[in-house]
Amino acid sequence: MTRSELVNWISGQSRYLDQSLVDGALHDLLQYIADCLGHGHRIEIRGFGTFALRDRRPVMARNTKPGATLDTEGNSTIHFKQ
């Protein structure tokens, strides 16, 4: 489901919520989740799921054409668990 489909579905469930209001609230919610994850916090929405960061370790990759090896940096990825 895309963001616009979600906005249309939520606004269709209530006759009091128009699309611009739902879109603004969804934008604020997603921004809050991104900010919290950016500060290293875990987000749990009861009955929906949990968002957390997982660290990926650095690995040595290989470029197959020239045969050179590359050291990749470790990074963090977002993990969602239902």
Side-chain angles (χ1 to χ4, degrees), residues 7-71:
V7 168
N8 289 336
W9 183 79
I10 292 172
S11 64
Q13 295 296 311
S14 174
R15 60 182 176 182
Y16 302 110
L17 299 175
D18 62 344
Q19 288 184 351
S20 63
L21 182 65
V22 172
D23 188 45
L26 184 60
H27 177 269
D28 292 343
L29 175 66
L30 294 175
Q31 187 64 46
Y32 178 74
I33 290 173
D35 290 343
C36 287
L37 289 174
H39 287 89
H41 300 292
R42 181 176 158 264
I43 304 293
E44 180 180 347
I45 302 172
R46 303 275 170 127
F48 181 70
T50 303
F51 296 91
L53 288 179
R54 285 205 174 160
D55 293 327
R56 296 181 64 174
R57 62 183 174 83
V59 296
M60 185 169 296
R62 179 175 289 278
N63 190 342
T64 55
K65 268 195 170 176
T69 59
L70 305 167
D71 290 328

